[in-house]
Amino acid sequence: MSQTATRGQDRPPAPGATPAPGATPAPDAPPPPGAAPPGAVPSGAVTTRLVEVVVPVHNEEHVLERSVRRLHAYLAETFPYRFRITVADNASTDGTWRAAAALAAELPGVEAVHLDLKGRGRALRHVWGASDADVVAYMDVDLSTGLEAFLPLVAPLLSGHSDLAIGSRLHRGSAVVRGPRREFVSRTYNVLLRATMAAKFSDAQCGFKAGRADVVRALLAEVEDEAWFFDTELLLLAERSGLRIHEVPVDWVDDPDSRVDVVRTAVDDLKGMARVARRSLSGAARLPVPPRVRAARMPPGLPWQLASFAVVGALSTLAYALLYLALRQAVPALAANALALAATAVANTAANRRFTFGVTGTRDALRHQVEGGVAFLVGLALSSAAVAAVGAAAPGASHGVELGALVAANALATLLRFVLMRVWVFHPRRDARRRS
């Protein structure tokens, strides 16, 4: 893969911009007009910290110049740290590369890189991996996300508080304007991530992200995707490694000219989720974690939760079977099923609360049992339907046949129960919101 890089001409840098190669750095100076007030950033940060903003583009000639000029002007006037804007052209076939090279030649602190292969993830990997900045970031070229969120995005990274930061359109404080189709796809995708991958971040797809450069370089070695799933895979890997992800509410307006193939991207994302899930279960990609993570007791991850839930479920099923057979001697099948299921559901919720999801103490114990009752009702409906089906298909069937149908129905109910407990009853973010 060949690449071409173009840098801004040597000239005195604009306030907040990175000097071009060979230029003499400007002496320490106070923040430019409009910058954060004194005390809002660490002393000396204006001249010592560098943030690199990557704008990945593919056939964006029509919007590139306007967006880069707007971004450059905003950062030069308001951003209290040094910055570099890198336009990463990945295999454009229109005039995007010419426009990017012209901007790099004209504007100080702007660079352009051209790659022969397409892929947003590939472009970010190339620029981020070679960056000498303290923090690396990226944003979509249409600048759909309000730029006023950029300083809140990178400040926790520069202070060392967080490792990655993302803009979230699904945050309660966000203001979002977009069509119903993209709204549905986005929300469905993020619900799937939380349900199947235990993701705690709220918005994987917003094109407004940043990370500490040393952390990002460590993650890049394990991220496989080179296209749209790159962001999600990076975040999942970071979360599984115990890294801290900061979320920022954003103002976001849908670009009506967006040419993203939503259906194809969704299919690729689902394939990526399956691949990451396989790697998670196999224990691959164990990255070194920060000292604060090693010192803390991390909540159980997906592999442990699945194993614990399976053990609790097997014991519950055995207890259910014994109770059902005992009760069936005295009462009809539907009544025996309901009584056995109710008795084991209480014990199942309590055991999963303690061993699968790591919740101890009496706080919210009653609420957890009540909400676990929803899972009980789902199981009761499925198992009652199984009893009715056996009675209709084979009148006078033995108790063993009835029990076999009930175990099969309860297996499906168990899967639904795990999803409900993971994304609703024992979801850590939900409990955190209740305590705040």
Side-chain angles (χ1 to χ4, degrees):
M1 176 179 64
S2 64
Q3 75 239 10
T4 306
T6 299
R7 299 176 181 269
Q9 297 176 350
D10 292 350
R11 65 182 69 193
T18 302
T24 302
D28 289 358
V41 295
S43 176
V46 174
T47 57
T48 60
R49 311 304 295 278
L50 174 62
V51 176
E52 180 162 15
V53 185
V54 182
V55 182
V57 290
H58 175 75
N59 290 344
E60 301 286 358
E61 177 186 14
H62 64 294
V63 72
L64 177 62
E65 181 177 358
R66 180 175 69 252
S67 293
V68 170
R69 289 187 183 278
R70 177 185 162 201
L71 174 61
H72 185 273
Y74 181 85
L75 295 177
E77 292 172 5
T78 68
F79 195 61
Y81 299 96
R82 295 190 303 142
F83 68 85
R84 176 192 303 139
I85 300 171
T86 299
V87 180
D89 173 30
N90 50 107
S92 292
T93 56
D94 61 358
T96 295
W97 172 241
R98 290 191 300 273
L103 288 166
E106 177 188 348
L107 299 175
V110 174
E111 298 183 2
V113 175
H114 175 77
L115 290 85
D116 290 337
L117 297 178
K118 186 180 177 182
R120 183 181 67 179
R122 179 177 287 107
L124 292 174
R125 182 193 303 277
H126 174 77
V127 181
W128 282 356
S131 178
D132 61 347
D134 299 282
V135 166
V136 291
Y138 96 87
M139 59 183 67
D140 291 337
V141 68
D142 56 21
L143 302 185
S144 293
T145 305
L147 294 177
E148 63 277 359
F150 187 64
L151 181 57
L153 184 80
V154 301
L157 308 176
L158 290 162
S159 70
H161 174 271
S162 300
D163 303 300
L164 297 176
I166 64 173
S168 174
R169 297 162 297 184
L170 303 180
H171 193 283
R172 285 179 296 177
S174 297
V176 176
V177 178
R178 62 176 166 181
R181 181 190 182 202
R182 296 192 69 173
E183 178 78 7
F184 174 78
V185 170
S186 178
R187 289 189 177 274
T188 301
Y189 178 63
N190 284 285
V191 167
L192 282 174
L193 285 176
R194 290 194 291 273
T196 62
M197 308 296 294
K200 297 180 179 63
F201 47 86
S202 64
D203 190 352
Q205 295 173 311
C206 182
F208 197 72
K209 296 184 175 70
R212 286 172 40 206
D214 56 335
V215 170
V216 169
R217 280 192 292 270
L219 293 170
L220 288 178
E222 299 294 339
V223 176
E224 296 182 20
D225 194 81
E226 301 282 18
W228 294 101
F229 189 68
F230 175 91
D231 304 46
T232 302
E233 187 170 357
L234 186 81
L235 292 172
L236 290 172
L237 181 61
E239 197 168 71
R240 191 171 72 245
S241 301
L243 300 174
R244 182 174 291 158
I245 301 174
H246 175 69
E247 293 198 7
V248 176
V250 297
D251 296 337
W252 195 87
V253 179
D254 194 10
D255 177 15
D257 189 45
S258 175
R259 287 163 287 170
V260 176
D261 187 333
V262 176
V263 175
R264 187 182 67 179
T265 300
V267 172
D268 291 342
D269 286 342
L270 291 174
K271 292 179 180 177
M273 289 167 59
R275 174 171 51 77
V276 171
R278 288 195 300 269
R279 292 185 68 192
S280 297
L281 292 173
S282 67
R286 299 293 186 185
L287 296 179
V289 297
R292 68 169 184 272
V293 176
R294 289 195 298 269
R297 181 182 180 275
M298 295 300 296
L302 179 62
W304 166 259
Q305 288 181 347
L306 285 172
S308 176
F309 190 83
V311 172
V312 171
L315 294 175
S316 297
T317 300
L318 177 60
Y320 165 82
L322 294 175
L323 277 173
Y324 176 82
L325 290 175
L327 292 168
R328 188 65 179 88
Q329 308 303 317
V331 297
L334 287 176
N337 170 61
L339 292 171
L341 199 60
T344 54
V346 174
N348 180 280
T349 299
N352 279 309
R353 180 179 188 269
R354 172 64 182 87
F355 299 108
T356 302
F357 299 99
V359 180
T360 58
T362 59
R363 181 186 178 92
D364 293 329
L366 179 60
R367 177 175 65 84
H368 291 154
Q369 283 290 351
V370 171
E371 293 174 348
V374 174
F376 158 72
L377 293 176
V378 172
L380 180 62
L382 289 172
S383 55
S384 297
V387 170
V390 170
S398 67
H399 296 171
V401 172
E402 290 176 352
L403 183 60
L406 287 170
V407 169
N410 281 328
L412 176 59
T414 297
L415 176 62
L416 296 175
R417 183 185 301 119
F418 179 73
V419 173
L420 281 172
M421 287 184 171
R422 186 174 177 82
V423 304
W424 178 44
V425 181
F426 299 112
H427 195 287
R429 177 167 294 174
R430 181 171 179 243
D431 286 340
R433 284 199 299 264
R434 288 177 62 87
R435 295 189 185 98
S436 61

